[in-house]
Amino acid sequence: MSKLLRQVSRALQGLAAATVAAAAFGGAAQAQTAPQVLRVTAIPDESPTELARKFAPLGKYLEKELGVKVEWTPVTDYAAAVEAVVNKKIDLAWFGGFTFVQANVRSGGKIVPLVQREEDEKFRSVFVTDAHSGITRLEDLKGKTLSFGSASSTSGHLMPRSFLLAAKINPETDLKRVSFSGAHDATVAAVASGKVDAGALNISVWEKLVADKKVDTSAVKVFYTTPPFYDYNWSVHADMPAALQAKLKAAFLKLSPATPEGKEILELQRATKFVPTKPENYTGIKAAAENAGLLK
């Protein structure tokens, strides 16, 4: 009888252990369950209507590729985009190089950059001015007024500031006034209206404004183009299930201008194609931010 009891006891212990293990596994699996709705945002480097227009076809494409609903969630400013991803309120975000670095630092290295446009491997900024201002080089900005985009913009503030400092121009002491427009297209508008003598913005937005004839190049001109640097990417939180991260990356990499759908999406994203990226690509951005005292 005692032998039978011992066998029963061992069986019950084994069942209890299996139940605990199953519960633990179930909890882990639940934590790694793919979301039913993929929440997406982007840093507001252009007007809200333009961002929504650019994303609409991409959102439909991702819904089809992932099999989940994709929800566009605009944010008010760059800092809000960073906090939303760090706190997992957003699943996928279009970051600039600097906002990626900020989010990665804030999260303790938990932000994963999945893909970037091929253009983002050698991105540039432009400085623009009134065509009749007499400003032809960075040194001519001394004593003038200048508008950056957002304070957290890579191509609209951090890198232009970095190249100004490299040219031995301190924006705070050598310029008459520095302002922040909040977005690249708003910077061009500030220059065109005479609110500032010059402005710095990303080259992609400038070229799009020129192509769409939304800026008069006989009135506003580029007088300096920066050397290349890494910039934008699509990022997720590291807690997103690995399988979903892989599906997202594959969906972006599959986009091709050879298909009508891919052509439309890539043109709206101002991309020839998407390529894989990694955190190491943004060490130069982080160094520039630390050097400029902009990374807290």
Side-chain angles (χ1 to χ4, degrees), residues 39-92:
R39 300 157 300 178
V40 186
T41 198
I43 54 171
D45 58 349
E46 295 181 82
S47 69
T49 52
E50 176 64 7
L51 290 175
R53 184 184 75 87
K54 284 169 56 179
F55 180 74
L58 176 58
K60 290 178 183 177
Y61 168 74
L62 291 177
E63 282 188 342
K64 183 180 65 177
E65 291 294 310
L66 304 175
V68 299
K69 182 181 178 184
V70 174
E71 186 177 276
W72 172 250
T73 307
V75 290
T76 54
D77 54 34
Y78 284 51
V82 169
E83 291 304 312
V85 178
V86 170
N87 295 314
K88 294 186 278 189
K89 303 295 184 185
I90 288 292
D91 303 300
L92 175 68

Side-chain angles (χ1 to χ4, degrees), residues 251-267:
F252 277 104
L253 298 181
K254 193 169 79 171
L255 284 167
S256 167
T259 69
E261 182 181 45
K263 184 175 186 294
E264 179 188 18
I265 291 170
L266 290 171
E267 284 181 354

Side-chain angles (χ1 to χ4, degrees), residues 40 112 201 226 279-280:
V40 186
V112 179
L201 69 148
T226 70
E280 291 76 18

Side-chain angles (χ1 to χ4, degrees), residues 249-294:
K249 179 183 275 191
F252 277 104
L253 298 181
K254 193 169 79 171
L255 284 167
S256 167
T259 69
E261 182 181 45
K263 184 175 186 294
E264 179 188 18
I265 291 170
L266 290 171
E267 284 181 354
L268 283 170
Q269 297 295 312
R270 299 174 198 141
T272 52
K273 66 178 180 178
F274 282 95
V275 297
T277 189
K278 55 188 177 181
E280 291 76 18
N281 286 343
Y282 303 95
T283 53
I285 297 288
K286 184 178 181 182
E290 290 171 338
N291 185 54
L294 297 175

